[in-house]
Structure formats: structure tokens, C-alpha cells
Amino acid sequence: MDGNNEERKVWGIHTQNDSLFLNKDLIAIGWRDFGDLSKVEANRDAFKAHYIEAYPDAKKGQIANGAGMLYRFIHEVQIGDYVVFPSKTDRKINIGTVEGDYFFEDNDGEYVQRRKVKWLKHIPRLSFSQGALYEVGSAMSFFSVKNYADEFLSALDKDFKKTITAEDSEDESVGATAEDIVESTKDFILKELSRQLKGYDLEAFVADLLRAMGYRTTVSPQGGDSGIDITAYKDELPPRILVQVKSQDSDIKETTIQSLKGAMREGDYGLFVTLSNYTKNAQKYLDSTPIIRGINGTELVDLILKYYEELSEKYRKMIPLKMVYIPVPKTDE
């Protein structure tokens, strides 16, 4: 790890537009009506006063939080600082460095306050402790990462790979919002699947989930060379669904999905299930091959939550959902 990391701050940021950040190599926050931050005098009192002018109906707490975030974004963030951004579309933790000064972009949606970044790594959420995930699940749009900054920076090491253990529990020193609890429930399920179910054990679990969804399933004998892990039918008649299950941490490549297609006969459908995700080429292949459905870790968790009560008792004991959560709309601005 770079010995200069201690001199650089670590910032956390959220967005409702993952592709904007990742495709344009930037971070951004909103408050369009506040206008260009560089035109406001560089002190916190001036930012609060201007916030009241721009948002006359704002409550006292909103004024302090909003003005504070805007001030930090332009005046406290330095080129070379680190940024931690949790993306929801692929459930990754994206870590980068700030590459440019603040600029105001008034012609491209709500996220007008911007800085250029260089993304260094895109790491599955499963690689981090629950406490670290809670911290970057802050209810604020832009914030300083303090408690788990070292854990995120260690992820930049070449040989970084966190081992998931039963002791990897949440840190109560970091408060959780309702949205955090939803996300941590999903993280918990994926971590337990990764920790407890490898290879054939995961195949048996997926077969049980399909049974809970109303399919008849047969798990292939261990050591078979057909490349098919599960055969499923919705009822007594075709179509037959051939299922391949992978518990690997890395993203699934196109060639792996092509091997499933090679085992299919005319009239068959294919289902590929992974705890991770798919490479861009693999996703393109799935999009152009409608007879094969790909399920990634996020989609698998959604199905588990939907059909949880129908799972076998063995698996409900393995992933006991003690947390009751109610999704609420995010109000970050």
C-alpha cells in the first residue's frame, strides 16, 4: 500500500446514477439550485447563507448538512484524495482517486457539482466487513470515511482478498439507516452462501430454491462431466431447464456460458447461477441468447428473500433472517 495514503483523506459518496460515475470517470452531487460553488465565498457561514437563499423552505438540519457537504466537496477535497463509491447496479465497492478540481456542469441532469476521478478498483461488497459497509452506507450524499478508511485502502493492495468468516459481524459503532439494513441483509445472505456453500453444496441449495419456486429438480451426480448441475421442469411436460451453478468469486466469462449452451438440446432452456457477476462480454452473450437466463448474486438474493419461507428448514437455519426491514425512499438532499 502506498506509504503516502495516511496523508490523503478518504471520502464516501452516493448516487442514483451509477453509470454517470463509472462511465464518465467522475463523482458528483446535486443541489442544482445552489448554483456554481466557486462563486460563493470560501467559508462555511457564506455557504449556509447562500443555502438559505437557494432553499428558503429548508429546515435547520438540512441547511447545516447540505451547506457542509457542498463546502467540503469544493474546498476540503484535495487532488489525490481517495473516493469510496458503493454502486447498486452491480453491488461493487468502487475505489478511486480525485484527479481534478471542482467544476460546475449545468447541462447534464441534477448532478451538477463535479470532480474528475480515476477509478482504481471495483471490488465485490462481500470483500468488506459489515462495519465498513455500514460506514459507506451513510445517509449523507457526501461524507468523510474515518472508522474503516484503512480497510478500504488495504483493498488497493495487489494481494487483497478478505476471508469471509463467521465472526465477520456488524460493528454497532456505526449506525445503520433503514436502507443500510436492507443492504446489510442482502450482504449477509451472500456472505453466508459464499462461506458455507461451495461447489456441490451450492448446487443443492439452488435446487432447493428452484423447488421453492415451483420447479421439479434433479441434481446431477457429483463428478459428472456433462457440465449440467441441475435439471428442472415446471411440470410434467417440456421444456427442460438445464442449470449450471458457479460459486467462484470472479465474474463469469462468455466461454463458460457457451459451455452450457453446448450441452443443451433443441427445445431446452438454460439457467446460469453465480454468486458473483458476469463480464461485459458474458452479459452481451446472455442478452443475445434469450434461451439462457443468467442470475447474478444480487438477483439470487432477491429470489431468496421472495421465496424464503418456502425454503427447506436446513437452509432457513443456515441463513436466519433476524432483521425486519421496511424500505423507505432515500432523502439525501
Side-chain angles (χ1 to χ4, degrees), residues 195-208:
R195 185 174 69 85
Q196 299 194 48
L197 300 178
K198 294 292 185 182
Y200 298 121
D201 291 334
L202 183 60
E203 294 169 14
F205 173 78
V206 172
D208 190 70

Side-chain angles (χ1 to χ4, degrees), residues 3-220:
N4 294 324
N5 283 347
E6 295 180 1
E7 301 172 8
R8 308 182 194 176
K9 290 184 178 180
V10 180
W11 303 95
I13 192 165
H14 294 152
T15 183
Q16 299 297 325
N17 190 346
D18 289 354
S19 62
L20 174 69
F21 281 27
L22 298 175
N23 295 341
K24 294 193 175 182
D25 295 325
L26 55 79
I27 56 172
I29 54 179
W31 291 280
R32 169 183 284 278
D33 292 343
F34 193 92
D36 188 338
L37 305 184
S38 64
K39 295 181 179 180
V40 181
E41 186 179 348
N43 66 71
R44 288 177 177 271
D45 288 339
F47 268 66
K48 288 180 182 178
H50 188 71
Y51 196 98
I52 294 170
E53 291 179 11
Y55 304 99
D57 296 328
K59 296 180 181 179
K60 186 175 181 180
Q62 291 175 314
I63 295 168
N65 288 335
M69 281 186 268
L70 292 163
Y71 178 84
R72 287 193 294 273
F73 192 79
I74 180 173
H75 293 298
E76 293 188 2
V77 176
Q78 302 296 314
I79 293 176
D81 282 356
Y82 291 96
V83 178
V84 179
F85 155 52
S87 51
K88 294 184 178 180
T89 51
D90 55 7
R91 297 188 68 76
K92 295 280 182 73
I93 296 295
N94 308 278
I95 304 177
T97 54
V98 178
E99 293 282 289
D101 292 322
Y102 162 83
F103 66 98
F104 183 70
E105 179 58 70
D106 196 24
N107 300 315
D108 191 10
E110 173 62 22
Y111 292 96
V112 294
Q113 324 290 355
R114 299 184 174 189
R115 280 180 174 270
K116 294 295 289 184
V117 299
K118 178 181 180 181
W119 297 115
L120 302 175
K121 267 193 171 183
H122 311 277
I123 307 166
R125 289 173 62 95
L126 293 180
S127 300
F128 298 93
S129 68
Q130 196 61 58
L133 295 176
Y134 271 157
E135 184 167 20
V136 294
S138 167
M140 301 180 75
S141 298
F142 184 69
F143 50 94
S144 175
V145 177
K146 297 179 179 178
N147 295 343
Y148 290 88
D150 288 344
E151 181 173 335
F152 289 113
L153 292 182
S154 70
L156 297 176
D157 290 343
K158 181 179 179 181
D159 300 325
F160 171 77
K161 183 176 172 127
K162 188 176 187 300
T163 302
I164 300 169
T165 66
E167 289 73 33
D168 183 22
S169 58
E170 62 191 59
D171 184 342
E172 295 180 356
S173 68
V174 181
T177 64
E179 186 173 348
D180 293 333
I181 295 173
V182 175
E183 292 301 309
S184 65
T185 300
K186 295 179 178 181
D187 292 333
F188 169 75
I189 293 173
L190 270 179
K191 286 182 178 182
E192 288 304 293
L193 294 179
S194 298
R195 185 174 69 85
Q196 299 194 48
L197 300 178
K198 294 292 185 182
Y200 298 121
D201 291 334
L202 183 60
E203 294 169 14
F205 173 78
V206 172
D208 190 70
L209 175 61
L210 289 171
R211 178 203 55 76
M213 295 169 64
Y215 291 88
R216 292 187 301 109
T217 61
T218 302
V219 180
S220 303

Side-chain angles (χ1 to χ4, degrees), residues 181-318:
I181 295 173
V182 175
E183 292 301 309
S184 65
T185 300
K186 295 179 178 181
D187 292 333
F188 169 75
I189 293 173
L190 270 179
K191 286 182 178 182
E192 288 304 293
L193 294 179
S194 298
R195 185 174 69 85
Q196 299 194 48
L197 300 178
K198 294 292 185 182
Y200 298 121
D201 291 334
L202 183 60
E203 294 169 14
F205 173 78
V206 172
D208 190 70
L209 175 61
L210 289 171
R211 178 203 55 76
M213 295 169 64
Y215 291 88
R216 292 187 301 109
T217 61
T218 302
V219 180
S220 303
Q222 295 185 11
D225 58 2
S226 67
I228 302 304
D229 300 318
I230 304 166
T231 303
Y233 294 89
K234 190 67 175 179
D235 48 41
E236 301 298 327
L237 300 173
R240 182 177 70 157
I241 303 171
L242 302 182
V243 186
Q244 196 168 72
V245 181
K246 293 293 184 184
S247 58
Q248 67 190 55
D249 295 329
S250 57
D251 289 348
I252 302 300
K253 296 181 179 179
E254 178 183 1
T255 53
T256 307
I257 303 173
Q258 288 173 335
S259 69
L260 169 61
K261 190 171 188 298
M264 295 165 56
R265 299 197 300 257
E266 185 177 355
D268 288 342
Y269 283 85
L271 177 64
F272 202 104
V273 181
T274 176
L275 295 180
S276 55
N277 212 325
Y278 300 93
T279 64
K280 288 184 178 180
N281 284 341
Q283 189 58 57
K284 287 180 182 178
Y285 182 80
L286 286 170
D287 293 341
S288 63
T289 312
I291 59 173
I292 299 180
R293 165 78 188 278
I295 293 178
N296 62 20
T298 300
E299 294 165 323
L300 180 63
V301 168
D302 288 340
L303 289 173
I304 291 169
L305 290 172
K306 183 175 181 179
Y307 295 96
Y308 182 78
E309 295 301 327
E310 305 302 322
L311 290 174
S312 297
E313 183 179 5
K314 168 185 176 181
Y315 296 116
R316 283 187 279 115
K317 286 183 176 180
M318 188 191 77

